[in-house]
Amino acid sequence: MSKVRAKFVCTGVQDNPDYQSKSISLSPVINGSEENKSFSKYTPSGNINLNISYETEASNYFQDGKEYYVDFDEAE
């Protein structure tokens, strides 16, 4: 297997001005469409938590309630 793809929904964006960053929380999708049902069969639970520096473009990328694909590729 060369890659695993999961689909996550952003469940929270918290501003941390004291640390000049944002905390992002994502959880696997479990409903809302046929595609989401297929993803939830393989990733029914879990979470991803990120802290992103204000200095990066990524700090404004994530929006609460939006869905994102996450690809896992083995590092060599």
Side-chain angles (χ1 to χ4, degrees), residues 16-55:
N16 302 313
D18 291 344
Y19 299 101
Q20 296 292 296
S21 67
K22 291 184 181 179
S23 296
I24 311 299
S25 299
L26 301 123
S27 297
V29 297
I30 55 173
N31 57 33
S33 71
E34 288 303 312
E35 181 187 48
N36 290 355
K37 288 179 189 176
S38 71
F39 277 109
S40 67
K41 177 179 177 182
Y42 299 101
T43 54
S45 65
N47 55 59
I48 297 173
N49 296 305
L50 305 169
N51 288 312
I52 301 175
S53 172
Y54 286 163
E55 297 174 359

